[in-house]
Amino acid sequence: MMSPAATAAAPETTSGAWKPTWSPGHTSAGLTPLTVVHDPHDDYAFMTAALTAHTPALGRIAVHPTPVASAPASLAHDLLRSLGKHLPLAGSEDGTYWTGSTETAWRAVAAWIFALRIDHVIVTRTHRVSPRHFEYLFALRELTEIRLTLLCHGPLPAALATALSVTRHEEAHTLAAAHRALGTSAPAPPADRFAWWEAGEQFPPREGEPCFLLPTRRTPGRGVIEAASRRLGRTVLPLPAAGRFPPEPDEPTVLLAHRLHARIAHPVHAAALAVRIFTGRPAGQQQVPAVRAAPPAVANRGREGGTPTWAADLIEAGRRFRQLEGRADSDRPLRLSPWDQAAVTEAAQVCGLHEQQAPRPRRHVVATAARSRRPAAENRSAGSAPTPIRAA
């Protein structure tokens, strides 16, 4: 890993798929210098400072790597959790896929960082990070241009020392210097931005929690909702009809949106389900707003029928992921493979979304009588038994 023969990370605008590869000496000159905080005596005050600095609303996250996790995707999974995302439930087919897919996991991290406007990533316990994970981290920094701060609670690992010898960096050796490095200022989020970072208590799903019916073009009446509640044994919260979601969400929609943000780690799956909810159509059957180089300014935000604020970051993350897969030019960026479709169905269930049941067909006699223009008495002969009603 991190050999001089390796190539530099591809820029975000590349037409090919991005792979998390990096080697010393292949760092863009315009990047913010890497910051290394030295804590050789493992003073818990340094860890407290790092964890306190975690403020996703301001674009800053702190990552506490899982101890002794050496799988190639494990650090990416830790980053996803710090971004408020949770991997599929243990034992699911989707979860098994995530465990071994390194490139998918790191592309997901990069897509969320772009979409959620994360500009500062703090990683603790980096004295235990493997050379391979350093490579992925530096590739992520190269791609997304984040400010990267590493806390070493012990001697510098050899791989990091080698990288620092050829990389612009700054060092902090005191707690005061660490606070300055960790607390870099960032602008407050705009007032009209959906607060995705407030979804922290949405995982794992709670037994008996309220659920939802997948929206259709017609708003379900009270009777439909009450019948669904009896069938499911849970409270069913109302949602707007598909195509009629207002720009700003009501309380049930906020709850659902927080579940989408917290319970679906794969950006395309989250985006596809969001599109299915607010339009009523599968994401692959329609165009979505074009990718923008700047933080997404979603089209039609102010009108009903446009992209609601709660879905904007989800859709942006899905588009970014497809871009990193090398499929940015697709006219249907959220088109799903059969595997993706199964994963989206699983994600809908985890988020408490259920299909509306088709209404029961009317009894044949009632339907036939309703079509008849003549009174029932006219179907009889005087003094005889009623004539049997024949099938239509």
Side-chain angles (χ1 to χ4, degrees), residues 37-47 125 151-154 172:
V37 177
H38 294 266
D39 173 27
H41 304 295
D42 200 5
D43 184 345
Y44 191 71
F46 282 82
M47 179 68 77
R125 295 290 176 198
L151 268 70
C152 266
H153 309 272

Side-chain angles (χ1 to χ4, degrees), residues 1 53-54 58 70 124 133 138 163 280-281 290 296 313 316 323:
M1 288 296 180
H54 179 78
L58 300 181
S70 59
T124 69
H133 285 153
F138 293 151
R281 299 191 301 273
D313 291 340
E316 181 68 7
Q323 196 174 53

Side-chain angles (χ1 to χ4, degrees), residues 90-167:
S92 69
E93 182 180 353
D94 195 19
T96 301
Y97 172 80
W98 272 101
T99 301
S101 183
T102 304
E103 289 184 0
T104 298
W106 282 97
R107 287 171 186 161
V109 171
W112 286 119
I113 283 177
F114 279 127
L116 303 181
R117 290 96 138 175
I118 301 300
D119 60 12
H120 188 181
V121 174
I122 301 164
V123 184
T124 69
R125 295 290 176 198
T126 51
H127 62 297
R128 293 183 177 175
V129 169
S130 70
R132 178 168 48 187
H133 285 153
F134 275 126
E135 178 183 355
Y136 299 152
L137 265 180
F138 293 151
L140 181 70
R141 170 178 175 251
E142 184 83 16
L143 174 73
T144 61
E145 300 184 352
I146 53 172
R147 176 187 297 273
L148 181 60
T149 300
L150 307 177
L151 268 70
C152 266
H153 309 272
L156 286 183
L160 179 56
T162 300
L164 293 180
S165 67
V166 293
T167 303

Side-chain angles (χ1 to χ4, degrees), residues 35 37 46 171-183:
T35 301
V37 177
F46 282 82
E171 298 188 9
H173 292 270
T174 66
L175 186 58
H179 278 291
R180 288 193 296 270
L182 297 169

